[in-house]
Amino acid sequence: MSVLRGEKLTLSIFGTSHGTSIGMILDGLPPGIRIDEEALATFMTRRAPGQSNLSTARKEPDHPEFISGIKDGMTTGEQIKAIIYNTDVKSSDYSALARTPRPGHADYTAHVKYKGHEDSRGGGAFSGRMTAPLCIAGGICKQILESEGIAVSASIHDIHGNSSEPLSEIVKAQALRDSVGGTVICTVSGLAAGYGGPLFEGLEGRLSQAIFGIPAVKGIEFGAGFGAAEMYGSENNDEFYYDAEGNVRTRTNNCGGILGGISDGMDIEFRVAIKPTPSIARVQRTIIYDSREETEIEVHGRHDPCIVPRALPCIEAATAIVLVDVMLSQQPMESADIKLEYVQIENSDKDASTAGQAASTAPDEQPDGMLNNGDSGVQHISDCRSEIDAIDSQLLPLIEQRLRVAEAVAIYKQEHNLEIVDQPREDSLFSKLQSRSSRDLADLNKDIFKAIINASCKHQKDFITRK
């Protein structure tokens, strides 16, 4: 059993990949929280094996059976215990591994720690299969966050260094009987400033501990991450200013939404590195414990050529668990009239000074086409249009990245005979946007995202047709 201990929540994960069942115990949630089990099942499906020809052929429905803690769709305040029965197990594929550790796996280290008594079938307790119970707990916590207007979302940044057509790298690896890794971007939107603490109480450390509990994770960086080491302080620092509504914003988010271990109200952004699947159908060198000889091994069984696509919900789950624990144990330390949000604005060198003045106050448009910036004086509207142009230049690559991810969605929908338009998901998205939008801009934001979604659906249809 592996345990993640927070201040209020404790998550215990038990079982092994080829045992009778796997499961989890989540302790510390208060009673009276509504849990949508249908939505949880949908979330679990994102991680489940056998969903496409780019993943393992092992098919597990991953339907959790709740033993305690949830009644009539509500938490009872008791420990939430759930199990998933393993139904598609082929342990014969692992009969030789008791004597020969697989390169890249935890076979050898487990053999040393447990003195040869470990269950090595399917990776045992070290298998990616153990992320299914993680997703039960994380799926519950995601719903809690969503009810508070907080969204946790992970997406593929690249696979094998390819960010334009990442899924094509998996196909190449399959043809080579090899595997590939990649990186995942995770974003948390809507979390108020003030959560976390200094030093060992910091959000980065707590999130990292949970993320590294996911098998195959090899690295994590927040905001600019290692790139900050190559910046000047003037480049790395995220400058503040007040928007038209008096909210504090920043022009960049190099800190990744966390300063001094504490959330600053901007989006929390981090990137996770996932190693290639260690099980590959190619000959590799290894050892034989008993005879102390070297030998060759060719790993059989059913394995993902790339873990990255199925890791997305796992990263979201681990993140959500940490954030719910933090929110249950702490009160945000910000003043009620100060909010921090992430707005990235690029200013050219020649406009940096005037643009900075314009951003630090709340402009009101005047009938003569000029902007009155209070103490900052009068600024011509063309300067603000320059800022708008800079923002648009930021939006374009994000929109293109969204369309590339939509292509992967289109492939999945085609393989599973699903409709391109997912109306329930769109309705849910619009509901979240309404809750997170400024009151006076909510309807306009909805119209904008409708246009984006309609364009995305059209692109998916065209993409499938071209294929």
Side-chain angles (χ1 to χ4, degrees), residues 146-150 429-438 442:
E146 288 169 359
S147 70
E148 298 294 325
I150 300 169
L429 173 62
F430 291 140
S431 176
K432 293 176 189 175
L433 288 171
Q434 289 285 111
S435 66
R436 293 166 57 190
S437 295
S438 300

Side-chain angles (χ1 to χ4, degrees), residues 177-256:
R177 302 171 70 204
D178 215 324
S179 63
V180 285
T183 62
V184 171
I185 290 179
C186 187
T187 303
V188 179
S189 301
L191 183 68
Y195 289 106
L199 304 178
F200 306 119
E201 299 175 7
L203 281 182
E204 295 108 325
R206 297 184 64 175
L207 286 168
S208 297
Q209 179 191 11
I211 297 297
F212 273 106
I214 301 169
V217 169
K218 299 302 292 182
I220 186 170
E221 62 177 6
F222 291 82
F226 283 92
E230 301 176 359
M231 295 180 180
Y232 286 107
S234 56
E235 296 172 311
N236 182 62
N237 293 343
D238 302 310
E239 296 181 343
F240 299 106
Y241 71 96
Y242 286 102
D243 67 7
E245 298 177 354
N247 301 314
V248 179
R249 300 177 181 269
T250 64
R251 295 186 176 87
T252 53
N253 193 22
N254 292 319
C255 70

Side-chain angles (χ1 to χ4, degrees), residues 67-80:
I67 308 302
S68 63
I70 296 179
K71 180 183 179 184
D72 299 327
M74 305 284 284
T75 58
T76 65
E78 301 296 322
Q79 291 182 337
I80 299 177

